[in-house]
Amino acid sequence: SGWDKPKNYARCIDATPCGENGFHTAKEKSPWAVVMLPGPVAVCGVVAENKAGWQNRHRQAPLELQVSEDGSEWTTVYREDQVRDTYRIDLRLTSPRARYVRIRRVPDAKDEVYHLNKLLVYGKKLY
């Protein structure tokens, strides 16, 4: 989209402050973002920071967090219908194995843009 800035992608997935969008899609039926990890990981948690500014925060919900080992077959491990400033997703009880972690608006949501400031994935290396 015209609001997306690829220069921000690296800051979206690290712990440094990011004052603007980490990524920004165009209006889509089920927009998403994927983090590809260097190898398989037992995912313990994910932190997704919503876009700053009250007027656009609603665009992220309802959201799903999905994991995949191959980038083709996806398993939903979390769903949230509430709008939050920060989504802190604790997966320690299940620790799903993944190489890819995807966050998206649910497919039945209306056409909308999607943007987050941060998408941080925590886990234990399995490689």
Side-chain angles (χ1 to χ4, degrees):
S1 80
W3 297 283
D4 195 43
K5 295 183 174 110
K7 68 177 182 161
N8 290 341
Y9 293 170
R11 289 188 307 186
C12 183
I13 59 172
D14 71 18
T16 61
C18 182
E20 41 188 331
N21 296 326
F23 67 90
H24 197 302
T25 72
K27 284 192 173 187
E28 300 174 38
K29 186 56 109 181
S30 181
W32 50 266
V34 172
V35 173
M36 182 178 74
L37 303 165
V41 169
V43 181
C44 298
V46 173
V47 175
E49 180 182 291
N50 203 340
K51 178 180 171 26
W54 62 270
Q55 72 276 16
N56 295 317
R57 294 174 59 246
H58 68 281
R59 293 175 168 165
Q60 282 47 260
L63 67 78
E64 289 180 332
L65 183 74
Q66 299 179 311
V67 295
S68 174
E69 290 192 57
D70 62 7
S72 297
E73 301 283 326
W74 295 92
T75 302
T76 300
V77 295
Y78 177 83
R79 179 183 164 122
E80 178 65 62
D81 293 321
Q82 300 284 325
V83 175
R84 302 192 184 285
D85 290 335
T86 303
Y87 298 88
R88 297 181 191 283
I89 304 165
D90 186 350
L91 299 171
R92 289 177 293 179
L93 290 178
T94 57
S95 296
R97 182 182 169 104
R99 172 112 196 264
Y100 303 88
V101 177
R102 175 166 76 180
I103 194 164
R104 68 180 187 161
R105 284 183 59 90
V106 296
D108 58 348
K110 65 180 180 174
D111 284 357
E112 187 59 270
V113 299
Y114 195 62
H115 41 61
L116 293 169
N117 287 347
K118 292 286 181 184
L119 184 56
L120 307 176
V121 178
Y122 298 90
K124 179 181 177 187
K125 285 182 7 176
L126 300 174
Y127 57 96

